[in-house]
Amino acid sequence: MITRPEIEAAGIASGTDKVTQHGYQRFYAQFLSEFDGNDSIVEIGFGKGNSIPFWKMLYPSAFLYVVDKNVVAKGDGFEVMRCDQSSKDQLASFASFLCDKSVGFIIDDGSHIPEHQLLTFNNLFGVLNSGGVYIIEDIECSYWKRGTCYGYPTEYGLESSKSLIRQFLQLSNWINREFLSSSELNDLKNSLEDTGFNLNVLTDVASVSFAHNCVAIRKGLLSDQTYSSRPYLHSDRI
Ligand SMILES: C[S@@+](CC[C@H](N)C(=O)[O-])C[C@H]1O[C@@H](n2cnc3c(N)ncnc32)[C@H](O)[C@@H]1O
């Protein structure tokens, strides 16, 4: 298990803004606590490539797959492939490629555009190992009301229906769907589908953690499914 000082040291040595700007060392020791370092890591977004030495310092045995819109590269223990995360088809073909890669965690540090973040989550969460974690970084663009990021307009804000935070907050009730009446559950499902979530993907969501500028979604173990498929003990009260 990696510690906060180790993350901090790797961040400073590699120069990734994950530590120098965003301070994700505050959360990642906890978010990645169950990753044993032997499965693959997937990251959306190459930037200047600084996160490659960062992850390799922390997890030398893990193979790292990075995708970016226009970058292709290969090195010791990593590969950078082309994938545009605004394209459902390209994400679906990347997901097929990952099917047999035993993915331990996924980091979305790509365009930071909430529509892309949701589309990417819908397409890639399924390939994550049971018990794995999916982290969406730099959700700050959801709060932006003007300007652009990587050439994409960022007209969102606190009240925007496209805000990733707003959308993922609905999962607090989804995780607790055992306690909803059937009509409340139907309403929630409709709302999640209207938002753009793929309900099949959501079945395995065990927890959602919100932190400063990031969201971490943990996938349950297969054995956890008994908790979401049993009849509710206090159904007479809902
Ligand atoms: C913040 S940088 C990644 C930084 C890197 N992960 C690190 O920690 O050093 C974001 C990257 O996402 C890429 N990007 C922007 N839009 C994209 C898209 N639609 N699909 C895939 N990558 C995209 C950009 O080209 C840029 O390289």
Side-chain angles (χ1 to χ4, degrees):
M1 187 182 146
I2 51 168
T3 62
R4 176 171 173 162
E6 285 167 344
I7 300 171
E8 206 147 15
I12 289 163
S14 63
T16 173
D17 68 358
K18 290 184 193 318
V19 166
T20 55
Q21 162 69 16
H22 300 301
Y24 291 139
Q25 70 276 17
R26 290 172 290 168
F27 319 114
Y28 281 13
Q30 186 202 347
F31 290 164
L32 301 174
S33 61
E34 286 177 45
F35 182 62
D36 67 5
N38 293 317
D39 298 309
S40 306
I41 301 170
V42 171
E43 176 152 16
I44 325 299
F46 177 79
K48 294 181 184 147
N50 293 344
S51 61
I52 295 175
F54 173 71
W55 293 123
K56 297 306 293 177
M57 266 179 248
L58 293 171
Y59 299 113
S61 307
F63 198 92
L64 174 63
Y65 295 99
V66 178
V67 290
D68 202 283
K69 222 158 56 162
N70 292 313
V71 188
V72 174
K74 244 184 188 172
D76 189 17
F78 76 89
E79 183 169 358
V80 187
M81 303 162 77
R82 190 173 288 126
C83 175
D84 181 340
Q85 72 174 144
S86 68
S87 157
K88 193 176 173 184
D89 290 348
Q90 290 186 33
L91 286 167
S93 88
F94 182 49
S96 313
F97 167 82
L98 290 175
C99 267
D100 59 354
K101 303 292 186 288
S102 186
V103 178
F105 71 86
I106 298 175
I107 301 271
D108 183 349
D109 183 23
S111 69
H112 311 329
I113 296 301
E115 292 98 315
H116 302 171
Q117 291 166 326
L118 179 59
L119 187 66
T120 305
F121 172 78
N122 276 337
N123 280 277
L124 299 190
F125 191 71
V127 301
L128 189 61
N129 288 348
S130 299
V133 69
Y134 188 107
I135 300 174
I136 305 173
E137 292 185 346
D138 299 25
I139 51 75
E140 63 195 294
C141 289
S142 281
Y143 292 94
W144 293 3
K145 300 185 189 75
R146 57 193 76 88
T148 59
C149 190
Y150 295 108
Y152 303 102
T154 48
E155 287 153 20
Y156 305 103
L158 196 59
E159 302 301 330
S160 169
S161 61
K162 291 179 179 163
S163 154
L164 192 90
I165 300 293
R166 219 178 162 75
Q167 294 175 333
F168 274 74
L169 273 171
Q170 292 180 82
L171 300 186
S172 57
N173 288 325
W174 175 253
I175 290 163
N176 287 297
R177 61 192 177 281
E178 181 182 19
F179 316 128
L180 297 179
S181 68
S182 58
S183 75
E184 287 168 335
L185 181 58
N186 262 340
D187 288 349
L188 178 61
K189 283 183 177 175
N190 288 338
S191 166
L192 288 165
E193 279 182 328
D194 288 349
T195 298
F197 277 110
N198 176 346
L199 287 187
N200 295 328
V201 165
L202 293 186
T203 310
D204 294 329
V205 170
S207 71
V208 180
S209 306
F210 294 89
H212 184 201
N213 215 356
C214 61
V215 180
I217 305 104
R218 188 171 295 282
K219 192 168 187 172
L221 301 174
L222 291 177
S223 57
D224 294 348
Q225 285 174 1
T226 50
Y227 297 100
S228 50
S229 56
R230 62 187 179 178
Y232 178 39
L233 183 61
H234 300 295
S235 60
D236 57 319
R237 299 183 193 177
I238 56 174

